[in-house]
Amino acid sequence: MFYVILFAMVAGFLALRLYSVLGKRTGHEQALPKPAEERIAPAQMPRTIDVTPEVREGAGRPIEAGAETGLRAVISADSSFDVAQFVEGSKAAYRMILEAFWKGDEETLGWLVEDDVRGGFAEAIADRKAAGHVLDNRLVVIERAVITDASVEGKLARVTMRFDADIAAVTRDQDGNVVAGSLTDAVETHDIWTFARNLRSDDPNWKLVETDEA
């Protein structure tokens, strides 16, 4: 029971750190994702505005041209949404989710991803365990993170990110012997991840709902 409580506390702490930087203005941070008992933020209802909303962004323009219209729709529906904050938060989510998957930490994944994605991760983790393999991976650097698409469909807001990253990947057997990969040679990866949030829910969390390769 002690370990169950401890793991829950660790997962909650990681989730609190994630939401504090994902899609919210400074001074209005809430935990994303976080345990249900900590979710106290009021529902974010779509609002009607009379002017075209501004797509707020930081330096470096982390937005592809085709995503601008969708981002304006997201900002119209959620006035607290901030592009630069969301990009930084999504990078933190990318790292946290990958590390949880590599470690086989399904409990942490439960806070960060929706059920369909979690099921895919769980199946891969089970296959890995059945083969007696352990991943010894490390995210070296995220070279680029950019919003490629965004939309609001009914009550659901979706924002799609492209991550270009270098990952050092090693697969070991049960005895610790290297089966594949190398920690000294990073591999370029290009992922497309979509995060979503129910704008009419009391739950303020953005979660990973879809993954693909670029």
Side-chain angles (χ1 to χ4, degrees):
M1 179 63 70
F2 172 76
Y3 289 108
V4 171
I5 296 173
L6 177 60
F7 290 150
M9 291 175 63
V10 171
F13 172 73
L14 292 174
L16 284 167
R17 290 188 59 196
L18 172 61
Y19 185 67
S20 68
V21 293
L22 190 55
K24 295 295 177 182
R25 290 172 179 261
T26 302
H28 294 273
E29 289 83 0
Q30 301 287 341
L32 170 77
K34 58 182 179 179
E37 63 269 18
E38 293 292 332
R39 296 171 182 168
I40 59 176
Q44 296 287 334
M45 297 296 292
R47 66 186 184 98
T48 301
I49 59 177
D50 297 326
V51 298
T52 302
E54 174 189 0
V55 177
R56 298 180 295 272
E57 59 182 282
R61 187 165 179 79
I63 308 167
E64 291 189 352
E68 290 182 353
T69 299
L71 280 175
R72 290 191 179 95
V74 173
I75 294 168
S76 293
D78 181 1
S79 61
S80 65
F81 183 88
D82 181 89
V83 172
Q85 289 281 349
F86 185 90
V87 171
E88 289 304 308
S90 70
K91 288 160 66 176
Y94 183 70
R95 179 181 295 274
M96 292 168 65
I97 292 169
L98 285 180
E99 290 178 350
F101 170 65
W102 295 336
K103 295 174 183 177
D105 185 354
E106 295 185 50
E107 184 174 359
T108 296
L109 289 173
W111 303 121
L112 304 175
V113 308
E114 288 290 358
D115 291 343
D116 288 346
V117 178
R118 184 182 182 183
F121 282 139
E123 183 177 350
I125 290 171
D127 290 344
R128 190 168 72 217
K129 289 180 178 179
H133 291 164
V134 176
L135 296 184
D136 185 10
N137 293 2
R138 180 166 56 91
L139 178 59
V140 178
V141 65
I142 298 175
E143 296 283 0
R144 181 170 177 261
V146 60
I147 296 174
T148 62
D149 194 19
S151 65
V152 177
E153 300 175 4
K155 61 185 178 180
L156 189 68
R158 293 166 60 95
V159 179
T160 300
M161 296 289 305
R162 172 177 172 139
F163 299 102
D164 298 324
D166 293 339
I167 294 176
V170 168
T171 302
R172 301 182 185 274
D173 61 20
Q174 292 178 327
D175 298 322
N177 300 312
V178 175
V179 175
S182 169
L183 283 176
T184 59
D185 297 320
V187 177
E188 292 184 5
T189 61
H190 309 282
D191 293 314
I192 302 293
W193 285 16
T194 298
F195 299 88
R197 175 176 175 258
N198 185 336
L199 298 173
R200 298 177 187 173
S201 172
D202 290 336
D203 184 352
N205 300 331
W206 290 83
K207 285 191 174 184
L208 179 65
V209 297
E210 188 176 331
T211 65
D212 201 355
E213 294 182 356

